[in-house]
Amino acid sequence: MAQSLGREPMKFEIYRYHPETDSKPRMQAYEVEVERGMMLRDALLAIQAEDETFAFRHSCGEGVCGSDGVNVNGVNCLACTTPVSELKPPVQVRPMPGRPVIRDLVVDMSQFYNQYQSVDPWLKRTEPNPEHEIRQSPAHRDQLDGLYECIMCGCCSTSCPSFWWNPDKFLGPQALLTAARFVLDSRDQATAQRLDALEGPYKLFRCHTIMSCVEVCPKGLNPTRAIGQLKAMMLKDAV
Amino acid sequence: MSRQASGLQAWAVQRLTAIYLGGFFIYLIVAVLLDPPASVELWRARFGGVASVAWLLFVLALCWHAWIGIRDVVLDYIHPPVWRLSALVAFGGGLVACALWGFKIILLAAGG
């Protein structure tokens, strides 16, 4: 599976689609001289240097901004943190599934961001804000670990079959992870309101614990566990 | 079905029925392995008294569990309202019929 580490050509097949000029998508073959330590983003940049009509999103190159989520050999990942040496050639690179393609690997993430926005991703207080910062105990702070680190790349939600089936109604793993991040935050005072907002058959309960989100998260987060915590809190609240 | 029944309650019921079904299956397998009934009469005796209540609960739990599961599948895959309603009515009706049939079998067996 692993490529040798010398400088050698590697085959890539890239999804190409320009809705304004192409009648249907196609896979275009490229060859890239891969080097030791090369990441997929570097390979895509090399391809772009060769063919400037090819479009893909990227920014920080450090796995922080979450811009370059793509589907590689059937698995979502961040191009900038995926070593090409770990990929089996020919490397098939496609846009993240289930999202409308704007061009090539660039997809429309509006619905994903709308779902994120719908969980009110900010601290809500019923009491007036104090003049100093709202303190947390170390134990309370620890509860946020594994929740706050999300970079919103969309790898999880776009690999979730439940999100493919009902992207307008099911919030998806990313938005639910964010919901858990605020529900479990000791400084937030809208827990019941947030849990009530998740009721119904769709927003939360379309999750069937398939765990594709956990498998692909480039930050190693576990949205399924966060979703389980939300369900457990709802149950505790109800009985 | 209320909004609550369609979300949290359905999820909780699915888990509770799964626990009952799992426990009952294990009991059934162990009971049959340890003391296999040698005749139809001995089989029927297994449906009498308290056992009949356990069997009735088993059928109820099985159908309720199946209903929540199939409803999830329908909500995931079938989106046009007419098709969805038709599928829910068909599966729901089928499960109610299965439950009534199961009750009849158990009560007849329990009644000797």
Side-chain angles (χ1 to χ4, degrees):
Chain A
M1 177 176 166
Q3 284 282 95
S4 66
L5 295 172
R7 190 180 169 88
E8 60 179 68
M10 189 173 187
K11 285 186 173 17
F12 287 80
E13 290 175 6
I14 310 288
Y15 177 100
R16 302 298 311 272
Y17 182 50
H18 193 334
E20 288 170 17
T21 55
D22 300 338
S23 58
K24 59 179 183 180
R26 66 185 193 281
M27 296 300 285
Q28 188 165 343
Y30 295 93
E31 208 165 81
V32 176
E33 293 285 324
V34 299
E35 299 168 8
R36 183 190 292 267
M38 196 176 196
M39 295 293 170
L40 177 62
R41 172 177 173 269
D42 303 321
L44 294 178
L45 284 169
I47 290 169
Q48 200 171 47
E50 177 191 322
D51 178 357
E52 61 184 17
T53 65
F54 164 57
F56 77 106
R57 281 198 187 105
H58 65 101
S59 182
C60 73
E62 303 276 347
V64 175
C65 71
S67 301
D68 59 355
V70 286
N71 184 275
V72 182
N73 289 344
V75 179
N76 285 357
C77 66
L78 283 185
C80 61
T81 57
T82 303
V84 289
S85 59
E86 290 179 3
L87 302 172
K88 187 181 172 189
V91 181
Q92 293 200 323
V93 187
R94 299 170 188 271
M96 290 196 290
R99 302 290 84 214
V101 173
I102 295 172
R103 182 167 165 175
D104 300 336
L105 303 183
V106 181
V107 291
D108 182 356
M109 297 292 280
S110 306
Q111 200 168 38
F112 170 81
Y113 294 130
N114 289 341
Q115 298 292 33
Y116 170 73
Q117 191 181 20
S118 74
V119 301
D120 296 348
W122 57 84
L123 283 179
K124 289 185 177 178
R125 302 277 298 176
T126 50
E127 295 166 14
N129 283 329
E131 287 183 13
H132 53 79
E133 70 274 18
I134 307 164
R135 292 196 176 133
Q136 282 188 301
S137 68
H140 282 145
R141 170 60 189 77
D142 286 348
Q143 287 197 303
L144 304 183
D145 285 342
L147 300 172
Y148 77 92
E149 299 94 330
C150 176
I151 57 170
M152 296 183 65
C153 59
C155 285
C156 59
S157 291
T158 59
S159 69
C160 171
S162 293
F163 194 67
W164 298 339
W165 297 323
N166 289 291
D168 54 332
K169 295 176 186 150
F170 175 53
L171 296 185
Q174 192 283 326
L176 290 170
L177 183 92
T178 306
R181 180 250 174 275
F182 287 99
V183 164
L184 293 166
D185 193 317
S186 61
R187 298 165 298 179
D188 191 82
Q189 295 180 326
T191 305
Q193 180 194 332
R194 290 181 188 279
L195 292 176
D196 285 349
L198 296 175
E199 238 312 89
Y202 284 103
K203 290 181 180 175
L204 170 65
F205 289 96
R206 282 305 84 209
C207 171
H208 305 309
T209 328
I210 299 167
M211 295 182 77
S212 296
C213 52
V214 181
E215 202 177 324
V216 300
C217 178
K219 306 302 280 186
L221 306 181
N222 191 334
T224 304
R225 187 174 59 203
I227 290 168
Q229 286 175 306
L230 287 173
K231 288 174 177 173
M233 286 189 77
M234 285 175 88
L235 192 62
K236 200 175 157 193
D237 228 32
V239 294
Chain B
M1 188 176 273
S2 70
R3 283 187 69 78
Q4 189 166 14
S6 61
L8 174 67
Q9 199 169 313
W11 177 79
V13 166
Q14 197 173 35
R15 269 129 198 91
L16 286 174
T17 51
I19 291 168
Y20 184 79
L21 292 172
F24 193 80
F25 268 125
I26 291 168
Y27 159 76
L28 208 60
I29 291 165
V30 171
V32 170
L33 284 178
L34 292 181
D35 183 20
S39 64
V40 174
E41 284 68 34
L42 287 172
W43 256 117
R44 293 179 76 148
R46 295 276 173 95
F47 288 85
V50 179
S52 68
V53 178
W55 274 104
L56 289 171
L57 276 176
F58 167 73
V59 172
L60 186 68
L62 184 66
C63 291
W64 203 350
H65 189 87
W67 163 247
I68 295 167
I70 200 72
R71 190 200 67 148
D72 276 345
V73 174
V74 170
L75 290 185
D76 283 341
Y77 287 109
I78 305 177
H79 290 188
V82 174
W83 285 105
R84 177 177 285 184
L85 185 64
S86 306
L88 287 174
V89 168
F91 285 122
L95 283 170
V96 168
C98 283
L100 292 175
W101 190 24
F103 289 167
K104 184 185 168 190
I105 293 168
I106 292 162
L107 292 174
L108 282 174

